[in-house]
Amino acid sequence: REDEARRVLEELRKIRGKFSAARKPKKESAVLSSYDLTKYVTKLSYCRVLGYSVDFGSEEIASLMASPKVKEKATGYLAATVLVEASAASGDKMASTVVSDLSRRGESSYEARGLALAYVSNASKSLEAKLGRYRLFVAKEAAVLAAERSAPSHARRKA
């Protein structure tokens, strides 16, 4: 158990350093690729699931949630569910991403809408407060998605 704790704390230190360097890029190599961002956020989620405290990364999670790629979006929503007690700045971005994803229409929108609904159903109290004025909108969108005949069955089940 001590070896695990030492390894996890070392990994968290490295990830914190990568995120800090990416926020203040001095050179081109400091910018994180979407692959690296996804990898580090997934590692943070795993560390949290192991029971370790993770108190950083909410800005990176919010940027993954807002990504147009479904894989990155799914990673962001999962990490937000596991990790984030929404801080002021990232919480506002997360709330606007949820509303934006719920507002999407079209064939390619079902995954984003399903992820947003799943996240809202498991949301922390602080995010619930940020979504307060959109509560009726979220409920309406869940009903619309559940009633859409053209929606895939997995998307209707999430609603």
Side-chain angles (χ1 to χ4, degrees):
R1 182 76 180 157
E2 288 177 19
D3 290 338
E4 175 188 289
R6 188 172 32 258
R7 174 76 175 137
V8 167
L9 294 176
E10 176 68 19
E11 195 64 33
L12 289 174
R13 188 187 61 75
K14 286 180 186 177
I15 294 170
R16 187 185 306 260
K18 294 282 187 181
F19 285 172
S20 295
R23 283 192 199 120
K24 303 172 200 148
K26 295 175 185 146
K27 47 189 167 176
E28 195 63 33
S29 64
V31 176
L32 291 176
S33 69
S34 64
Y35 171 80
D36 287 335
L37 188 59
T38 303
K39 177 176 75 172
Y40 294 139
V41 167
T42 303
K43 285 182 178 186
L44 288 179
S45 299
Y46 184 66
C47 290
R48 180 67 187 108
V49 168
L50 288 175
Y52 295 92
S53 176
V54 177
D55 59 353
F56 63 97
S58 59
E59 291 176 28
E60 290 78 9
I61 291 169
S63 70
L64 280 177
M65 287 172 66
S67 172
K69 297 179 182 175
V70 175
K71 182 179 177 184
E72 292 173 13
K73 189 176 281 293
T75 302
Y77 274 113
L78 172 70
T81 302
V82 172
L83 289 171
V84 173
E85 282 298 319
S87 65
S90 62
D92 289 339
K93 185 175 180 182
M94 288 178 189
S96 67
T97 299
V98 167
V99 170
S100 171
D101 284 345
L102 287 174
S103 301
R104 294 174 69 178
R105 293 291 183 260
E107 200 62 35
S108 64
S109 69
Y110 295 119
E111 290 85 3
R113 291 165 69 194
L115 288 168
L117 285 173
Y119 177 59
V120 167
S121 68
N122 296 309
S124 65
K125 295 290 181 197
S126 55
L127 182 78
E128 227 175 89
K130 291 194 180 299
L131 285 172
R133 65 178 183 243
Y134 297 109
R135 189 163 286 147
L136 289 175
F137 171 75
V138 170
K140 180 186 99 116
E141 289 303 313
V144 166
L145 183 59
E148 277 185 32
R149 293 275 183 223
S150 62
S153 61
H154 70 276
R156 287 196 308 265
R157 280 195 299 267
K158 287 186 190 240

